[in-house]
Amino acid sequence: EVQVAESGGDLMHPGGSLRLSCAASGFTIANHYMTWVRQAPGKGLEWVSVIFHAGATRYADSVKGRFTISRDTSTNTVFLQMNDLTAGDTAIYYCARVGEGWFDPWGQGTLVTVSS
Amino acid sequence: QSALTQPASVSGSPGQSITISCTGSSSDIGAYDYVSWLQQFPGQAPRLLIYDVTNRPSGVSNRFSASKSGNTASLTISGLQAEDEAHYYCTSYTRTDTPWVFGGGTKLTV
């Protein structure tokens, strides 16, 4: 079964750093685009970052320069390193396999709370 | 403000049909046939409902259909059921530095 599972969410202070993980199973991340999408409490979905199968990366303007997406193909895991966290980064962070016209599957999400 | 515009809410009675619109621009919806729709129940992760504008993944009811015209995509749910009550999000691939954009989401009340 094709699945992804996020982990690493936590309660953080502003300015802190956190690394999220997304473990994939049932497929090889090296052959696919992998993305992070976040959802602030009570709000809609916001695209955050993508790592393409060739390794190129892209970021939303809201996180550019602070977040870094990476992957470890040996463990089939995608990461999101988040630095200089602000209250605006508080959200559930979802990992998903993505194609141009689809996002599937989605993980259950991991909650990041940034508060003083 | 979301890049794609959806109505905040729609409602319908059981058995009726409803349509949710998703309006973008020539840089996203109008540029490619890469629109997808997601369904999200409270407290759950989103689930893919429609991909590549009109296609349903295996397991999705044929009561869900979708289309696109110009810069606007639409999701139609026919034969509404109480279990369809959820949030629905559209998303599109774009030709900008931001590869994907989402709509703000539409809450469906049955």
Side-chain angles (χ1 to χ4, degrees), chain A:
Chain A
E1 184 181 3
V2 173
Q3 289 181 322
V4 296
E6 307 90 340
S7 61
D10 205 345
L11 172 61
M12 304 297 297
H13 291 302
S17 297
L18 190 65
R19 189 177 84 156
L20 306 182
S21 300
C22 169
S25 57
F27 68 98
T28 302
I29 62 171
N31 296 334
H32 293 274
Y33 308 167
M34 296 296 295
T35 196
W36 289 93
V37 175
R38 68 185 181 183
Q39 186 169 35
K43 302 297 184 182
L45 301 170
E46 178 189 15
W47 178 79
V48 173
S49 181
V50 64
I51 184 164
F52 295 104
H53 55 73
T57 59
R58 294 276 178 82
Y59 301 92
D61 287 344
S62 58
V63 307
K64 201 173 294 183
R66 300 188 299 121
F67 289 14
T68 302
I69 190 171
S70 62
R71 67 186 180 185
D72 182 344
T73 55
S74 68
T75 60
N76 220 32
T77 303
V78 180
F79 303 99
L80 186 68
Q81 177 67 42
M82 305 185 295
N83 298 330
D84 194 21
L85 287 163
T86 72
D89 297 317
T90 294
I92 296 173
Y93 284 74
Y94 295 103
C95 169
R97 186 179 60 170
V98 64
E100 283 84 354
W102 52 269
F103 289 72
D104 184 71
W106 293 69
Q108 81 289 350
T110 189
L111 177 62
V112 175
T113 303
V114 183
S115 175
S116 54

Side-chain angles (χ1 to χ4, degrees), chain B residues 32-100:
Chain B
Y32 306 105
D33 286 337
Y34 289 141
V35 177
S36 63
W37 290 88
L38 305 165
Q39 179 188 55
Q40 186 179 36
F41 296 108
Q44 294 188 23
R47 156 179 105 120
L48 182 66
L49 204 61
I50 297 286
Y51 67 96
D52 293 350
V53 181
T54 62
N55 298 294
R56 283 187 309 275
S58 173
V60 173
S61 169
N62 60 9
R63 296 187 298 104
F64 295 91
S65 62
S67 62
K68 189 192 87 164
S69 178
N71 298 336
T72 299
S74 299
L75 173 71
T76 297
I77 309 174
S78 59
L80 273 177
Q81 299 178 2
E83 68 200 46
D84 298 330
E85 203 164 271
H87 277 86
Y88 294 85
Y89 294 90
C90 60
T91 179
S92 176
Y93 191 62
T94 88
R95 56 171 50 162
T96 72
D97 288 341
T98 303
W100 290 274

